[in-house]
Amino acid sequence: MASMTAMPTVTLNDQTAHPIVGYGTYKVGYVPASASAATTAPAESAVSAADCVKQALEVGYRFLDCAEFYGNEAEVGKAIAASGVPRSDLYLASKVWTTTIHNGPAAVQAQLEKTLRDLGVDYLDLYCIHWPVPGKHVAAYKQLEAAQKAGLVRSLGVSNYAIEDFKELMLSAAVTPAVNQIEINPFLFRKKTIEFFRSQGVALQSYRSLRDGKAFEEPTVVGVAAKHGRSAAQVLGRWCVQHGFIYIPKSVKAVRMRENMQVFDWALDVEDMAKLDELTLPAALDTYRALYIKCVVRDTPDAGRTELVRTDLTVD
């Protein structure tokens, strides 16, 4: 197993080093009220985010993927403080949510400062726009540029941006985003979008790399896993890193955290990759389109106003 102290990195377009594998904190110890399948949050029986992140740091993760929306950054900060891991050994990323983006640049700056307080640090390695809120995301990103100049953020990024959102942003932005975090897995492998962002020098972070465990019994994945004596999670993780995507698995169990990291001491062959590359069906692209239309205005005063959402959307 690769130790995180020797974790492979990718060099971003701003020449900073980004670890290839990180720990995702979404629904860790807390489920946001507007999340899919949300109930009351946090659940009484749920392990705390502080405990989960403490375990992740003990296992060896050093890149923590956080967000305002996740509702647990203060708990993540407790784990960081208790870990004894030097700040210089950590890669801390966060994202600003739609409601804050909608409220304007001053709200974005205030939320960044809150995130820093909650995490107990004086800078972030990466700060991203979580969704391209129509009519609002460009101004929010320009506030991130100001925060970068002030030394509060090292790298700037976006999340869930389609090709068209990026083109709109770059009409005004001075700093090209270093990262776009989007869902990437064999079941949502949007080749045209991925090729475009790579052509612009933007690295791709993959969320839902493991599809929340929903693909662990898919026959192709099971077959490839059996062939290599690996788990389904390891197959999906290896597919990500072998394609050069930044891989962000999530688990609340230490044994799974370790398993998810074991993607560097073996490889998928050409036949495996070809099979996995062809698992995206048209229905998955339709689902993506519907999710985009919902989420770019989710939780804002414009929620449900689909007339505000772009129709010129590249989904593949």
Side-chain angles (χ1 to χ4, degrees):
M1 179 173 67
S3 71
M4 287 297 289
T5 54
M7 174 62 65
T9 61
V10 295
T11 301
L12 303 181
N13 61 20
D14 58 10
Q15 302 309 306
T16 59
H18 190 313
I20 290 179
V21 176
Y23 180 69
T25 62
Y26 181 43
K27 296 185 181 178
V28 171
Y30 180 86
V31 180
S34 69
S36 58
T39 55
T40 55
E44 290 183 5
S45 60
V47 62
S48 74
D51 288 340
C52 290
V53 175
K54 177 177 179 290
Q55 286 187 345
L57 292 170
E58 289 173 351
V59 165
Y61 288 89
R62 293 295 179 264
F63 161 34
L64 302 178
D65 182 56
C66 308
E68 173 190 357
F69 179 63
Y70 301 170
N72 55 11
E73 290 187 327
E75 288 289 300
V76 174
K78 291 177 184 177
I80 291 170
S83 71
V85 177
R87 174 65 184 91
S88 59
D89 289 351
L90 295 172
Y91 191 97
L92 301 179
S94 186
K95 299 176 283 293
V96 60
W97 186 238
T98 56
T99 47
T100 303
I101 295 166
H102 190 278
N103 287 337
V108 171
Q109 179 65 23
Q111 177 56 44
L112 169 58
E113 292 171 6
K114 182 179 186 301
T115 287
L116 292 171
R117 289 193 303 271
D118 285 348
L119 295 177
V121 297
D122 57 9
Y123 71 93
L124 292 177
D125 294 281
L126 174 67
Y127 200 42
C128 298
I129 301 296
H130 208 144
W131 283 93
V133 178
K136 303 289 186 177
H137 71 98
V138 173
Y141 186 86
K142 290 175 77 68
Q143 183 61 42
L144 266 56
E145 292 180 332
Q148 185 184 47
K149 287 182 178 179
L152 300 179
V153 180
R154 294 199 168 169
S155 296
L156 304 185
V158 296
S159 181
N160 298 299
Y161 271 50
I163 291 171
E164 293 78 12
D165 299 314
F166 178 85
K167 288 181 176 179
E168 178 191 5
L169 176 66
M170 293 313 298
L171 293 175
S172 303
V175 178
T176 301
V179 162
N180 186 14
Q181 182 183 110
I182 60 175
E183 179 177 347
I184 307 176
N185 53 61
F187 306 90
L188 192 61
F189 187 31
R190 297 164 54 217
K191 298 176 185 178
K192 184 181 295 183
T193 294
I194 288 165
E195 289 169 4
F196 170 81
F197 280 100
R198 284 183 159 166
S199 76
Q200 301 300 305
V202 179
L204 281 305
Q205 286 182 342
S206 162
Y207 73 80
R208 292 195 80 231
S209 311
L210 304 181
R211 291 199 77 231
D212 304 328
K214 295 174 183 175
F216 288 176
E217 296 182 5
E218 195 282 330
T220 300
V221 175
V222 170
V224 172
K227 172 181 173 180
H228 292 278
R230 298 283 175 167
S231 70
Q234 289 169 334
V235 167
L236 295 174
R238 179 63 204 180
W239 178 88
C240 261
V241 300
Q242 199 158 316
H243 266 302
F245 307 131
I246 296 163
Y247 164 51
I248 312 175
K250 181 200 74 177
S251 177
V252 298
K253 298 179 180 179
V255 64
R256 297 291 185 224
M257 294 177 191
R258 292 188 182 93
E259 175 187 319
N260 292 341
M261 290 175 66
Q262 294 172 338
V263 294
F264 294 107
D265 58 347
W266 65 288
L268 297 165
D269 60 33
V270 173
E271 180 184 8
D272 300 328
M273 293 295 284
K275 288 180 179 178
L276 294 167
D277 285 357
E278 297 305 318
L279 293 178
T280 298
L281 301 176
L285 299 178
D286 292 340
T287 299
Y288 160 73
R289 179 187 290 275
L291 184 69
Y292 175 95
I293 291 170
K294 172 187 174 182
C295 286
V296 293
V297 289
R298 178 179 174 183
D299 292 341
T300 75
D302 295 325
R305 295 187 61 191
T306 56
E307 71 274 15
L308 299 177
V309 181
R310 67 170 69 256
T311 56
D312 57 331
L313 179 66
T314 301
V315 298
D316 59 349

